[in-house]
Structures are given as C-alpha cells and as structure tokens.
Amino acid sequence: MKKRILLLAGGQSGEHEVSLSSARSVLNALPRDQFDVTPVAISKQGRWLPPTETRQALESGAAVSGGDLVLHRVASAEGYDAVFPLLHGPMGEDGTIQGLLTLAGIPFVGSGVLGSAVSMDKVMTKQVLASAGIPQVEWRLAVRREWHGDPESVRARAAELGYPLFVKPANLGSSVGISKVRGPEELDAALTLAFGLDRRVILEAMTAHKPRELEVGVLGNDAPIASPVGELRFASEFYDYETKYTEGRAEVHIPAPIPTEVAERVREGALQAFRALDCAGLARVDFFYVEETGELLLNEVNTMPGFTQTSMYPKLFEASGLGYSELVTRLVELALDER
Ligand code: ADP
Ligand code: MG
Ligand code: MG
C-alpha cells in the first residue's frame, strides 16, 4: 500500500518562499510508486490552502492570503500516514506545528516539540550545548523589556563582549534581523532592529579572525549519522540574507578543504549536539572554524534546513552517495520508525 503523505510548505515566517521552493523539489522527488503526496501551502497569514490554491502557490512561489483555519485542515489530515512539515523559522520549525501534529496523533518528519523549540532559540541552544561541553562563542541574552527600561544595562553586556559583535533575534533564520556591529556607535540601531522582530535578542562575540564556515548534515533518530563536511565561501562580510539567496554570491565546497582531523571533530560535535538537543530525523549543524588557532565553535542547529535540490543539506548527503530521492524517502521512513 502506498503511504499517504501530507507535505506542508510556505508558512508565516520570513522564509515562506524558500520553503515553497524546497517543497517543489521534495514533491517531485518522493517516488510515486511508494507515496501518495498531498501538498498543502500555508499562507503568510497562517491559513491552510485548498488544493487548487496550493498548486498556484507552489507555481508562483508565494501564498499571500486565502485558506482555512488550521484546525479544520488538521481534522481532514486524519488518514495521512505522515506529515512532512517543510516549514522554516517561527510557526513551523519551532515546535508549534510539531505540537499540533503530536496532538493530532500524526507522525511527522523531523524533530519533535522539544528538539524543534530548543534548536530554534539561539539562546536555549547555547545553554543546552554549553552544558554538553560543546565550544561556542561568548554570548549574552537581552530581553525587550530591558532594552526599553534600562538600555544602559544592555549596552554594558555588549561592552563585556567587545567589538565587533553580532546582534541577532533569538528565534529567526535566514540571517533576518542580524547585524554585525563594528563599534558602540552601531549598537543601538542593531538592537532596535532585532527587538523589532523578537522579544529575546542574543549578543555574540566574534572570534579574533574571520572564521571559516563549515556545515554538516545529520540524519537519523536515536542512532544518527553525519554527512561529509561542507564549507561556504563568500565575499560579503558575513553570510547575510542577500548572500544566502542571490545566485552566485556564495560558493559551496564539498568536502570542505580542511584536515581530516577537523572534519572528524565537526562530525562528532554535530552528532553530540543532535543528541543533546533531542533532535530527530534531520538537522544541519553549522560551525565556525578558526584556522589560525584550530578552534572549532558550534554556531547553530537548523532542524528543517533549506531543502531544494541545490541546498547544502541534500548536497552533503549526495556526496556520501545518498541521492535526493533516497534522502526524502529515508526521512519519511524515519518519521514512521519507532525512535
Ligand atoms: P541564521 O539562523 O539566521 O542563519 P546565524 O546565527 O547562522 O543565523 O548567523 C548568520 C551568519 O552571520 C553566519 O552564517 C555568519 O556568517 C554570521 N555570524 C553569526 N554569528 C557570528 C559570530 N558570532 N561570529 C562570526 N560570524 C557570525
Ligand atoms: Mg539558522
Ligand atoms: Mg545560519
């Protein structure tokens, strides 16, 4: 019997369009003889679109409005064997959809409520990984109320880290709302931007040298495996939104030209982080590598990484011999497996 799969895409985050293009690739790649796939696009307002509008959204690359309240759609989602929530960022990758699917009793691809929620929040991730002994940059948390009530205390935290530093909304992706702050005169603008997008903001120190950026894929549930390591290279000052989504701005090197010993540390660290965060199914784990000192710092864990045919995560597994189609099939199998 064919498995019935519900593929969710779009959603309310800034990564709506990225998600729809990932979904197009996955839809084409799930073998028709094994799976009966129904795509449902979620609009930018969070409404679930009926089939015709979903098809239009997949073609045009955006679903701006229309659709049903989520609860109506979940009721009609009964009868699916599994859901592939191919959603990035808040209201999709952060445990909210995962909670809804858990309540509905439908198995789904990827991490559960806990792993999704903790991995989405850059501060919670850092706290959990610190307790697992995984090296990371120095950081400080600030909440919006402090920024409004006592901005000096927030500025003092930045001064402790020194400049340049990074200011980021705690719960976003795709570099949205992230600033590299070169000195105190740039700090307030960066904090205002980040607090406009999130209640919680993380301030992060930078390493002394511009780090190299390494990424590795993890696949599995309680016995996960790591892919070869990849490297991103780009000319811009950091891997910002434009660099991520403008064709030709970044180069991907797989395998990363690094010593075997460093690649092993990346893979080991990624698996350790995956377990510590209680991730499942898949994750892309990103590191900073400071060549001058040999230092390897874990930057973040993405529980639903970009998933087009040319995205880093599928490319990493392709390099180890697992093609795109086999990879998405494996992910659905993992969703149906006992953990
Ligand atoms: P997102 O979840 O939006 O991808 P990241 O934390 O990965 O956010 O930051 C985006 C990019 O900003 C990174 O890929 C890197 O280029 C740069 N960056 C972020 N934090 C630091 C840091 N502490 N030191 C150096 N570069 C950083
Ligand atoms: Mg991220
Ligand atoms: Mg990132």
Side-chain angles (χ1 to χ4, degrees):
M1 261 255 292
K2 280 196 203 181
K3 297 271 182 234
R4 293 193 61 205
I5 308 297
L6 176 66
L7 176 65
L8 294 176
Q12 297 179 65
S13 80
E15 293 163 284
H16 178 93
E17 286 83 2
V18 183
S19 160
L20 284 170
S21 60
S22 294
R24 269 198 303 274
S25 302
V26 168
L27 189 59
N28 291 330
L30 278 168
R32 288 279 173 275
D33 55 337
Q34 294 176 54
F35 301 107
D36 185 3
V37 189
T38 307
V40 169
I42 299 178
S43 77
K44 291 186 176 178
Q45 278 92 47
R47 301 290 172 119
W48 296 32
L49 304 188
T52 315
E53 290 176 47
T54 287
R55 264 196 303 280
Q56 284 162 359
L58 283 171
E59 272 161 34
S60 72
V64 180
S65 59
D68 293 332
L69 261 183
V70 59
L71 289 177
H72 177 82
R73 283 274 153 183
V74 167
S76 64
E78 277 177 81
Y80 285 100
D81 294 299
V83 177
F84 198 140
L86 194 44
L87 302 160
H88 309 301
M91 308 291 177
E93 192 179 350
D94 62 351
T96 49
I97 286 278
Q98 289 74 13
L100 187 76
L101 297 172
T102 303
L103 285 172
I106 311 169
F108 54 90
V109 171
S111 294
V113 172
L114 179 65
S116 300
V118 176
S119 302
M120 188 79 243
D121 187 286
K122 293 183 193 302
V123 173
M124 289 305 284
T125 301
K126 287 216 162 31
Q127 283 170 335
V128 171
L129 296 186
S131 67
I134 295 176
Q136 306 170 91
V137 296
E138 280 284 309
W139 59 275
R140 299 286 184 275
L141 164 70
V143 297
R144 192 184 278 146
R145 200 181 165 82
E146 295 172 311
W147 175 235
H148 290 159
D150 183 11
E152 270 320 316
S153 74
V154 179
R155 293 185 191 114
R157 265 166 259 175
E160 283 166 20
L161 295 172
Y163 293 92
L165 58 80
F166 275 81
V167 171
K168 319 178 187 178
N171 282 279
L172 270 177
S174 286
S175 300
V176 175
I178 295 185
S179 307
K180 179 175 175 180
V181 181
R182 288 166 206 79
E185 67 289 350
E186 292 178 8
L187 182 65
D188 285 16
L191 286 165
T192 302
L193 174 70
F195 278 119
L197 298 165
D198 204 335
R199 216 187 90 244
R200 285 151 65 76
V201 163
I202 186 168
L203 296 97
E204 287 186 16
M206 227 193 132
T207 53
H209 309 271
K210 185 182 171 188
R212 289 172 68 178
E213 302 204 22
L214 305 178
E215 304 193 342
V216 64
V218 179
L219 176 68
N221 289 334
D222 286 338
I225 57 164
S227 73
V229 178
E231 176 170 15
L232 283 161
R233 295 208 185 150
F234 43 84
S236 54
E237 239 185 279
F238 72 99
Y239 198 34
D240 56 11
Y241 186 91
E242 218 186 306
T243 312
K244 283 180 179 172
Y245 298 117
T246 313
E247 203 41 66
R249 289 288 170 89
E251 270 174 33
V252 169
H253 296 265
I254 304 173
I258 50 172
T260 318
E261 168 269 325
V262 177
E264 270 320 304
R265 273 157 62 203
V266 168
R267 287 152 50 88
E268 220 11 84
L271 291 171
Q272 209 188 332
F274 190 90
R275 292 196 189 94
L277 293 162
D278 195 32
C279 293
L282 74 165
R284 199 194 70 225
V285 186
D286 301 348
F287 291 83
F288 297 132
Y289 171 49
V290 188
E291 204 171 2
E292 291 81 353
T293 59
E295 224 179 346
L296 190 64
L297 304 164
L298 199 151
N299 174 34
E300 63 156 348
V301 177
N302 296 286
T303 52
M304 193 54 77
F307 221 103
T308 67
Q309 298 267 5
T310 57
S311 297
M312 184 63 117
Y313 183 86
K315 286 235 167 223
L316 288 169
F317 278 102
E318 200 179 277
S320 68
L322 193 64
Y324 192 91
S325 217
E326 296 154 297
L327 178 62
V328 287
T329 303
R330 181 78 194 115
L331 287 172
V332 173
E333 286 168 6
L334 285 166
L336 296 167
D337 268 5
E338 281 283 316
R339 280 188 69 183

